[in-house]
Amino acid sequence: MLRIHNSLAREKQAFTPIEPGKVRMYVCGLTVYDYFHIGNARTLTVFDMVYRWLRAAGYDVKYVRNITDVDDKIIERANRNGETIETLTTRMIDAMHEDCDRLLMLRPSAEPRATQHIDDMLGLIGDLEKNGRAYPAANGDVYYAVREFPGYGKLSGKSIDDLRAGERVAVDGHKRDPLDFVLWKAAKPHEPHWCSCYGEGRPGWHIECSAMSRAELGDTLDIHGGGWDLQFPHHENEIAQSEGASGKPFVNYWMHAAFLNMDNEKMSKSLGNVFTTREVLNKLDAVQGGEAVRFFLLRGHYRSEINYTWDLLQEARGALVSLYTALRDVPPAVSAADYRIDWADPHARRFHDAMSDDFNTAMAFAVLFDLRGEIHRHRSPAHAALLRALGGTLGFLQADPAAFVQGAAQASEAAEIEALIAARVQAKKARDFAEADRIRDEIKARGVILEDGAGGTTWRKA
Ligand code: AMP
Ligand code: ZN
């Protein structure tokens, strides 16, 4: 039985989907004005892991992750670059897909864009107005009246009065209450805008997710995810909008991923301590980099903060290489296509239990390392097949092990190293041990580690 920590209930709960065997999952996606950073990558990768595990557990999952393709930051960046919003967002969406692919993420079932759902948003705003929860103001904006929604604050665990005191929201003459938030913004000159019964304007950010989740998945979702920071105000406002319009529960399980910090400080654009995912990937070995970053991002539990440093990333890469080394040394008994996991196997069972306990990847990874130990101890192809398959449920260990362990050494470099190894063998045969040692040092200086085994000498990048 899968148990999920529900941020709304503040506890782990048994997971029961609305429709047996099916999961409707929505995750807040990116605002596409720039390349995404390694902190965004954590949240995206966590929900890719959740998606993969739900599928491995036998669910038919519809996974929707939106794209915010109109907002202040996009407008400002497009103006600064002297390009249209469309050109900027198209380029950034392509880059997002490239980077997500490099991190071995599956594409969501749908990636709705805000600009393609303006009518759905206006429809929802209309429903809220009918229910007395939205009001047009004199300045042409339309606001949500938070005091008209009795459950406001239930996700963040605060009353409206606490929130008012805590947030120090600026008083705005057009709002009835300082916490009221904008659903529709009146058009400003030189900004993109759409026609509506409220006049020309563009949607607020929060309404996007309520409208697109309704369009794609219906009024009630099984799982809604996002980064921890989105609980307030974004998700609180989504609840107010969706439940305020439909009168039905919006989300059964709220999941929030903890942050990635940079040298123990929050990574964010405003602090200026941001590394884009592509910057990080480009500094790593081209063959190992994507999977190594994925491994680094998932090896802690998703509700624990993780710290990004170059050393920790390299350590994660080394750990992943060690799993691949086991698969290279003892090839799995059966091809991946013909293999089915026997969940009654004790290792498989432990892996399953860990993942069923609120997606505990830290514990699940420990099982992978135990299997690596078994493979080395018993040279067991059956354990190797299980390791590859369990890793595969989370998007790992599907590359060719020998090629992965070797890394992206260019074919020419590989040939040079092979030639040096052959020369060393010759030197040894000729009992010229000084020469053999000299060659060994030369190979080492290239960042290559030699492993002398029964079947000859193999090598890998350090
Ligand atoms: P944004 O583009 O800022 O709206 O963020 C997109 C997603 O990335 C949201 O789900 C955020 O919660 C998440 N996010 C932003 N910064 C971080 C971080 N440092 N660590 C983890 N997730 C983050
Ligand atoms: Zn959202």
Side-chain angles (χ1 to χ4, degrees), residues 345-365:
D345 171 280
H347 286 98
R349 183 78 257 146
R350 278 174 53 218
F351 187 92
H352 196 285
D353 287 349
M355 291 304 293
S356 302
D357 181 15
D358 193 31
F359 308 96
N360 194 335
T361 50
M363 298 274 286
F365 281 24

Side-chain angles (χ1 to χ4, degrees), residues 26-29 66 68 205-206 208-210 224-226 230 234-235 238 254:
Y26 185 94
V27 172
C28 297
N66 70 300
T68 300
W205 172 40
H206 312 298
E208 253 184 55
C209 288
S210 285
H224 188 320
L230 298 186
H234 183 53
H235 290 162
E238 282 188 33
W254 279 99

Side-chain angles (χ1 to χ4, degrees), residues 4-7 12 42 46 256-259 300-305 357-358:
I4 298 182
H5 183 273
N6 182 354
S7 318
K12 283 187 214 171
R42 183 193 195 191
V46 159
H256 291 98
F259 258 43
H301 188 270
Y302 77 90
R303 284 190 292 115
S304 305
E305 292 189 352
D357 181 15
D358 193 31

Side-chain angles (χ1 to χ4, degrees), residues 28-31 33 37-40 42-43 73 205 226-230 257-261 266-268:
C28 297
L30 298 172
T31 303
Y33 67 104
H37 62 66
I38 192 80
N40 303 135
R42 183 193 195 191
T43 299
K73 284 182 284 209
W205 172 40
W228 169 87
D229 59 319
L230 298 186
F259 258 43
L260 173 142
N261 297 325
K266 175 183 160 170
M267 178 183 281
S268 76

